[in-house]
Amino acid sequence: MTTTTPIIVLDLRTVQDHFPGIGRCTFHLAQALAETAPAWRFVMLTQPGAINTRFDVTGLARRPNVTLHAVSQAIFSPQEQITLPRDLPPGDLVHFPYYIFPYLSRRRAIVTIYDIISHLYPAYLPSALHRVVFEITTRLALARAAHILTLSTSAAADLQRVYGVDPGRITVTPAAADGRFRPASADAIHALRRRLGLPPRYVLFLGANKPHKNLLRLVEAWAKLKAQEATPSAAAGVSLVLAGREDPRYVGIRAAIAQAGLQNDILVLGAVSEADLPVLYSGAEVFILPSLYEGYGLPVIEAMACGVAVACSNTSSLPEVVGGDAGVLFDPADSDEMAAVLRRLLTDGALRTTLQQTGLARARQFTWQRTAELTLAGYEKEF
């Protein structure tokens, strides 16, 4: 540990609308680091030209140990590699919370790698060029960084197994739901239902429309649920709500809904404001995350924190996130099993109540203060 006041340069350029999940994690980590380590100094890189409608980055500078440092170089731009290294402010470490960063910089760097979805599911990338670029940049990030942070032991194991990363170079720093995520009042739920045109009863999915989120199979499972004889006691009057930013590179979900004749049963809501998310979760009877792979699955913790029964895939990090009894797991490749889990949750009120209680308790085990403490421990390994 250094005997002087540590100075950490933290890259906040992902705190923008293009990075809904990574941006949320990075912003709350920045807040928690400043609060948890008042004796440390944090210089936080911002990109004023990026579109950010969700988080008050400038408010971070109200803390005495935070300084904002504006840069013009955007993520993915050539200038990021060429000119950003010389514009980095002084500090003991530079933390890049994204695998694309200036690899030619000589500064001691820490990188956060959330997952290796693009390696495990290369066919889901838009083109062969994207696959090559992902593989090269991921390997550059792993080779260049002095230390690697990731959010789950599952993702850490993947980095060791696929890329041969020394486990001593990895620190696991699970994320948390921020304090806004808690059960909303009936009045708030009613008001949001009217404003967004939400159905009276709904199962919620929240996330991007990327292929690994497995939405086509979720639509297939919903069609089977609606067609089953148990429908009157299971899915009658219940709709499926798909919320989250729609990536224009991936199309087909709306066509699949129409082809299945489910236009009246599935609502594609699109992006939802940060202020509305806790109430949207709270109004759901069930939250479902059918992903084939998740490096972490923060929406699961947010849903549990809002007192919603959770069903999610039994793959990658998701069993680790829900723990032993805070969610019902299913095989994401099996739409029949997915439909059966949904039917069980929609018909068994006692089970939903139990999951709501265990989920609330499970969500309380994750805090941003703990995330910050683990992150600081990762930093200290490189002093």
mmCIF file of all heavy atoms in Angstrom, residues 82 89 93 95 100 103 107 144 199 201:
data_model
loop_
_atom_site.group_PDB
_atom_site.id
_atom_site.type_symbol
_atom_site.label_atom_id
_atom_site.label_comp_id
_atom_site.label_asym_id
_atom_site.label_seq_id
_atom_site.Cartn_x
_atom_site.Cartn_y
_atom_site.Cartn_z
ATOM 1 N N ILE A 82 -4.903 7.059 -29.980
ATOM 2 C CA ILE A 82 -3.786 7.908 -30.398
ATOM 3 C C ILE A 82 -3.523 9.050 -29.428
ATOM 4 O O ILE A 82 -2.376 9.283 -29.007
ATOM 5 C CB ILE A 82 -4.053 8.465 -31.813
ATOM 6 C CG1 ILE A 82 -4.176 7.301 -32.808
ATOM 7 C CG2 ILE A 82 -2.942 9.424 -32.235
ATOM 8 C CD1 ILE A 82 -4.684 7.715 -34.169
ATOM 9 N N PRO A 89 -4.888 12.284 -16.928
ATOM 10 C CA PRO A 89 -4.313 13.044 -15.811
ATOM 11 C C PRO A 89 -3.416 12.162 -14.958
ATOM 12 O O PRO A 89 -3.497 10.930 -15.013
ATOM 13 C CB PRO A 89 -5.553 13.501 -15.036
ATOM 14 C CG PRO A 89 -6.593 12.475 -15.350
ATOM 15 C CD PRO A 89 -6.336 12.033 -16.754
ATOM 16 N N LEU A 93 -3.111 4.736 -10.547
ATOM 17 C CA LEU A 93 -3.724 3.706 -11.381
ATOM 18 C C LEU A 93 -4.780 4.359 -12.260
ATOM 19 O O LEU A 93 -5.381 5.367 -11.879
ATOM 20 C CB LEU A 93 -4.409 2.628 -10.528
ATOM 21 C CG LEU A 93 -3.562 1.672 -9.699
ATOM 22 C CD1 LEU A 93 -4.484 0.860 -8.788
ATOM 23 C CD2 LEU A 93 -2.763 0.735 -10.597
ATOM 24 N N HIS A 95 -8.330 3.147 -13.992
ATOM 25 C CA HIS A 95 -9.320 2.074 -14.047
ATOM 26 C C HIS A 95 -10.236 2.319 -15.238
ATOM 27 O O HIS A 95 -10.959 3.317 -15.286
ATOM 28 C CB HIS A 95 -10.122 2.018 -12.740
ATOM 29 C CG HIS A 95 -11.184 0.963 -12.733
ATOM 30 N ND1 HIS A 95 -12.076 0.818 -11.686
ATOM 31 C CD2 HIS A 95 -11.528 -0.015 -13.627
ATOM 32 C CE1 HIS A 95 -12.896 -0.180 -11.946
ATOM 33 N NE2 HIS A 95 -12.589 -0.691 -13.121
ATOM 34 N N ILE A 100 -12.536 -1.781 -24.089
ATOM 35 C CA ILE A 100 -11.937 -0.908 -25.105
ATOM 36 C C ILE A 100 -11.329 0.294 -24.389
ATOM 37 O O ILE A 100 -12.044 1.088 -23.778
ATOM 38 C CB ILE A 100 -13.000 -0.428 -26.122
ATOM 39 C CG1 ILE A 100 -13.718 -1.628 -26.761
ATOM 40 C CG2 ILE A 100 -12.348 0.452 -27.179
ATOM 41 C CD1 ILE A 100 -12.847 -2.468 -27.660
ATOM 42 N N TYR A 103 -4.738 1.055 -25.463
ATOM 43 C CA TYR A 103 -3.810 -0.034 -25.161
ATOM 44 C C TYR A 103 -2.345 0.408 -25.224
ATOM 45 O O TYR A 103 -1.479 -0.248 -24.642
ATOM 46 C CB TYR A 103 -4.031 -1.192 -26.136
ATOM 47 C CG TYR A 103 -5.466 -1.669 -26.190
ATOM 48 C CD1 TYR A 103 -6.198 -1.593 -27.370
ATOM 49 C CD2 TYR A 103 -6.098 -2.177 -25.054
ATOM 50 C CE1 TYR A 103 -7.508 -2.019 -27.426
ATOM 51 C CE2 TYR A 103 -7.420 -2.607 -25.094
ATOM 52 C CZ TYR A 103 -8.119 -2.524 -26.286
ATOM 53 O OH TYR A 103 -9.432 -2.936 -26.339
ATOM 54 N N ARG A 107 0.539 3.806 -18.823
ATOM 55 C CA ARG A 107 0.042 3.923 -17.454
ATOM 56 C C ARG A 107 -0.378 2.567 -16.907
ATOM 57 O O ARG A 107 -0.857 1.687 -17.628
ATOM 58 C CB ARG A 107 -1.140 4.899 -17.436
ATOM 59 C CG ARG A 107 -0.793 6.294 -17.951
ATOM 60 C CD ARG A 107 0.062 7.042 -16.953
ATOM 61 N NE ARG A 107 -0.717 7.276 -15.762
ATOM 62 C CZ ARG A 107 -1.613 8.272 -15.667
ATOM 63 N NH1 ARG A 107 -1.791 9.127 -16.661
ATOM 64 N NH2 ARG A 107 -2.292 8.432 -14.552
ATOM 65 N N ARG A 144 -2.800 -6.118 -21.500
ATOM 66 C CA ARG A 144 -2.338 -4.781 -21.120
ATOM 67 C C ARG A 144 -2.602 -4.458 -19.649
ATOM 68 O O ARG A 144 -1.809 -3.770 -19.004
ATOM 69 C CB ARG A 144 -3.035 -3.752 -22.032
ATOM 70 C CG ARG A 144 -2.762 -2.305 -21.699
ATOM 71 C CD ARG A 144 -1.309 -1.931 -21.922
ATOM 72 N NE ARG A 144 -1.043 -0.586 -21.408
ATOM 73 C CZ ARG A 144 -0.815 -0.286 -20.143
ATOM 74 N NH1 ARG A 144 -0.809 -1.239 -19.223
ATOM 75 N NH2 ARG A 144 -0.575 0.957 -19.784
ATOM 76 N N PRO A 199 -50.415 -3.324 -18.655
ATOM 77 C CA PRO A 199 -51.568 -4.173 -18.334
ATOM 78 C C PRO A 199 -51.734 -4.321 -16.821
ATOM 79 O O PRO A 199 -50.775 -4.119 -16.059
ATOM 80 C CB PRO A 199 -51.212 -5.509 -18.994
ATOM 81 C CG PRO A 199 -49.723 -5.498 -19.092
ATOM 82 C CD PRO A 199 -49.316 -4.075 -19.289
ATOM 83 N N ARG A 201 -51.955 -6.984 -15.010
ATOM 84 C CA ARG A 201 -51.068 -8.035 -14.497
ATOM 85 C C ARG A 201 -50.022 -8.318 -15.573
ATOM 86 O O ARG A 201 -50.356 -8.455 -16.752
ATOM 87 C CB ARG A 201 -51.845 -9.317 -14.180
ATOM 88 C CG ARG A 201 -52.961 -9.159 -13.158
ATOM 89 C CD ARG A 201 -53.711 -10.481 -13.007
ATOM 90 N NE ARG A 201 -52.845 -11.554 -12.506
ATOM 91 C CZ ARG A 201 -53.083 -12.854 -12.714
ATOM 92 N NH1 ARG A 201 -54.140 -13.239 -13.429
ATOM 93 N NH2 ARG A 201 -52.266 -13.769 -12.223
#
